[in-house]
């Protein structure tokens, strides 16, 4: 089925560990973004990309890295996990500038850092 | 900086109309969106409106845009129990509309 696939769905990390949240889309969308959702805070943009090889920072980029080597994949790396990074992470994609419609979202990764 | 504001809670009786309001700051936004999030799920695009439109209607949903006041609203007619969810207002920003900024979400609670 076409859409945005995120893995894993759930993850528990110890403080200081690193990991990569995977995101893949099969809709040939140029734009991809990572958001985190925390209670009472809504969705905050972490990093985004407008195409392969191009990434930029969002509202809350510290502690996270991204890369976009292909159109399909946009992994999010946590370099050294901290309890403040406990959150639900959503990946989203959309077609290029000028195309109608908003982002298509994945089902999320619930991350707990202990 | 860019900001999107919306009230956090709304309670409505089943069958009544729900009106969820939002204000935004970026006057150059090309698109404004309403998303719906059901418990444990990702966000689902409900509807969007171009910034040069005043109103858009789609079945039970009516979106009103007051560009002068930077105010966006979503009206849900004949509210049903299945409409219980969190509704997010969002705006596209940047020269290429490459970023979408979300409000904190309005939790809609349906009273029997």
């Amino acid at each position: 089925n076409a859409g945005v696939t995120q893995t894993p769905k759930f993850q528990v990390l110890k403080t200081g560990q690193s990991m990569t949240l995977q995101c893949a889309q099969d809709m040939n969308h140029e734009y991809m973004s990572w958001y985190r959702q925390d209670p009472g805070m809504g969705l905050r943009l972490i990093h985004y990309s407008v195409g392969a090889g191009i990434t930029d920072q969002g509202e809350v980029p510290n502690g996270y890295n991204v890369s976009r080597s292909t159109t399909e994949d946009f992994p999010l790396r946590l370099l050294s996990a901290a309890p403040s990074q406990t959150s639900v992470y959503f990946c989203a994609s959309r077609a290029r500038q000028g195309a109608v419609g908003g982002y298509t979202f994945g089902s999320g990764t619930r991350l707990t850092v202990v | 900086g860019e900001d999107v504001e919306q009230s956090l809670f709304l309670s409505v009786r089943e069958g009544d109309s729900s009106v969820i309001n939002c204000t935004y700051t970026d006057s150059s936004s090309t698109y404004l969106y309403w998303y719906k999030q059901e418990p444990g799920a990702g966000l689902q695009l409900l509807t969007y409106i171009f910034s040069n439109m005043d109103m858009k209607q789609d079945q039970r949903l009516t979106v009103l845009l007051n560009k002068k006041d930077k105010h966006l609203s979503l009206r849900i007619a004949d509210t049903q129990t299945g409409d219980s969810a969190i509704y997010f207002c969002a705006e596209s920003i940047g020269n290429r509309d490459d970023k979408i900024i979300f409000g904190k979400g309005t939790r809609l609670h349906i009273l029997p």
Side-chain angles (χ1 to χ4, degrees):
Chain A
N1 291 337
V4 179
T5 302
Q6 289 184 239
T7 56
K9 291 192 183 305
F10 301 93
Q11 183 70 49
V12 179
L13 286 180
K14 293 183 179 178
T15 297
Q17 285 185 316
S18 63
M19 82 158 292
T20 299
L21 307 187
Q22 301 292 344
C23 176
Q25 53 92 8
D26 57 3
M27 297 172 283
N28 203 31
H29 283 170
E30 291 185 348
Y31 291 5
M32 296 186 75
S33 293
W34 276 102
Y35 291 87
R36 59 177 288 174
Q37 183 177 25
D38 302 292
M41 299 296 292
L43 276 82
R44 292 182 290 171
L45 181 64
I46 304 172
H47 286 285
Y48 66 103
S49 168
V50 298
I54 307 169
T55 63
D56 207 344
Q57 296 182 347
E59 303 165 275
V60 288
N62 292 340
Y64 307 94
N65 273 357
V66 291
S67 59
R68 185 96 181 270
S69 56
T70 67
T71 300
E72 293 78 21
D73 300 299
F74 191 43
L76 177 73
R77 279 182 288 278
L78 279 71
L79 308 172
S80 177
S84 61
Q85 293 179 305
T86 293
S87 187
V88 181
Y89 291 85
F90 288 102
C91 179
S93 74
R94 60 174 284 212
R96 59 175 171 75
Q97 177 192 10
V100 296
Y103 273 105
T104 298
F105 279 79
S107 56
T109 294
R110 185 174 295 274
L111 176 68
T112 303
V113 183
V114 297
Chain B
E2 306 93 6
D3 200 11
V4 178
E5 298 280 347
Q6 51 184 130
S7 54
L8 295 182
F9 298 100
L10 177 66
S11 290
V12 173
R13 294 208 176 275
E14 189 175 0
D16 288 350
S17 292
S18 305
V19 179
I20 303 171
N21 294 302
C22 166
T23 57
Y24 60 97
T25 56
D26 193 327
S27 58
S28 64
S29 293
T30 301
Y31 303 100
L32 294 132
Y33 305 92
W34 284 103
Y35 281 83
K36 177 183 180 182
Q37 185 182 34
E38 295 179 350
L43 276 71
Q44 170 194 359
L45 178 66
L46 267 185
T47 187
Y48 63 92
I49 187 168
F50 288 102
S51 59
N52 62 357
M53 296 171 64
D54 298 324
M55 185 182 85
K56 180 179 180 182
Q57 189 150 3
D58 183 2
Q59 299 183 339
R60 292 192 298 123
L61 305 178
T62 302
V63 178
L64 294 178
L65 174 60
N66 181 328
K67 201 170 180 183
K68 173 176 168 290
D69 294 337
K70 296 185 195 145
H71 182 267
L72 183 74
S73 68
L74 173 70
R75 179 177 178 269
I76 305 173
D78 187 23
T79 307
Q80 304 297 310
T81 55
D83 296 324
S84 180
I86 302 175
Y87 291 81
F88 291 92
C89 173
E91 62 170 342
S92 66
I93 61 174
N95 291 336
R96 297 171 291 190
D97 295 312
D98 46 11
K99 292 195 293 185
I100 295 182
I101 301 298
F102 288 81
K104 291 182 169 55
T106 299
R107 185 179 295 273
L108 177 62
H109 177 62
I110 313 302
L111 301 168

